[in-house]
Amino acid sequence: MSITNWSLISLLSSSIEQCKSIEFMPLTSTDEYKVYCCCEENIYLCLNILEIKPIVNLCYSFIFSKDYQQDNQLNISTRVLLCYITECLTSWNIRRRLLLSRIINIQEELQFLDILLNLKPKSEQLFRYRRWILKQEGIDKVSTNKELELCDRTAEKHFINYASWLHRRWIIQYLNVNIDEELERNRLWLENNLSDSSGYSFRAHLLSKKVLDENLIRNELNMNDNMLEFYYDRESLWIYRQTLIFLAMKFEMIDKKQLLNKELDSIKNIQENFFSNKYSRLLNTLLSSDGKQFRT
């Protein structure tokens, strides 16, 4: 393996370490030389999307080479590789070992992850590794607002980002987050992201953390009504409404026939479409079975 190859990986690693933002772009190469990256004032780093394969192959060759197993070398090669392939478990496991050995600084690693999450906002392994680091640092030291803001940013950057919402569930579980305040934040987010079913799935998760009653379900249905009045063709709204009905059907004190008939009447005010017809068929099916399957 030539020194030129290692110098290239070292240069990329140094650029990644110093920059604050990374993007992939098609950078023009010539027959005389290859362009692998372009830095601007050590803040913005553009990686050549046309040269991904050779860089990835180089990183793998160094990671599995007996001659490049020193901690600082593994730190360099895994840092570069993870910018290209964030789902590489081998690299994450190496970095776990380096962090436990204090070769890697926790705060610097969290900053690296912030950059990677802007580049790859839907990476499950990135979020999983971040949670592991936060546990190593200590839950009491975690900034709840920072983690919530990170979830907001990654959910906005990638549509139906379940990895981001799963991280948010973890925050709710381990940090001191007020469920009512989180429901309000989620409501505001959904107003601008009506079609994102992952946001509604998270809202249903929040509701499961509360003591459910008929009034709470009715308030959620009213919110859904307001949205359907203008966005009657959004599947995510109909799926969430179906979820609310299933939750309501579990209450022993609720008159299920009355609830289902009221739902059938309410959707008559909504412009008929494929989703409203499908929902109507579901309600009629539940009525014909008298909701018996929900009485267990």
Side-chain angles (χ1 to χ4, degrees), residues 108-122:
E108 291 176 357
E109 189 74 344
L110 286 172
Q111 291 173 11
F112 175 51
L113 294 184
D114 285 341
I115 294 173
L116 287 186
L117 282 167
N118 283 329
L119 181 66
K120 305 280 188 177
K122 203 176 182 179

Side-chain angles (χ1 to χ4, degrees), residues 12-74:
L12 284 171
S13 176
S14 178
S15 300
I16 291 165
E17 192 174 15
Q18 297 176 47
C19 77
K20 296 181 181 179
S21 176
I22 301 175
E23 296 289 344
F24 279 102
M25 294 183 64
L27 303 176
T28 305
S29 299
T30 69
D31 293 335
E32 297 180 3
Y33 64 93
K34 297 286 187 181
V35 176
Y36 293 101
C37 69
C38 178
C39 290
E40 295 183 15
E41 300 176 352
N42 289 332
I43 297 177
Y44 306 105
L45 175 65
C46 294
L47 299 175
N48 194 346
I49 197 170
L50 304 176
E51 297 294 339
I52 291 179
K53 185 175 180 180
I55 294 298
V56 168
N57 288 340
L58 269 179
C59 289
Y60 274 123
S61 64
F62 286 122
I63 288 172
F64 293 108
S65 170
K66 294 181 180 179
D67 298 326
Y68 291 86
Q69 292 298 304
Q70 293 183 20
D71 289 341
N72 66 316
Q73 293 171 329
L74 289 171

Side-chain angles (χ1 to χ4, degrees), residues 100-111:
L100 290 174
S101 302
R102 299 187 178 181
I103 305 300
I104 295 176
N105 177 273
I106 285 183
Q107 290 304 316
E108 291 176 357
E109 189 74 344
L110 286 172
Q111 291 173 11

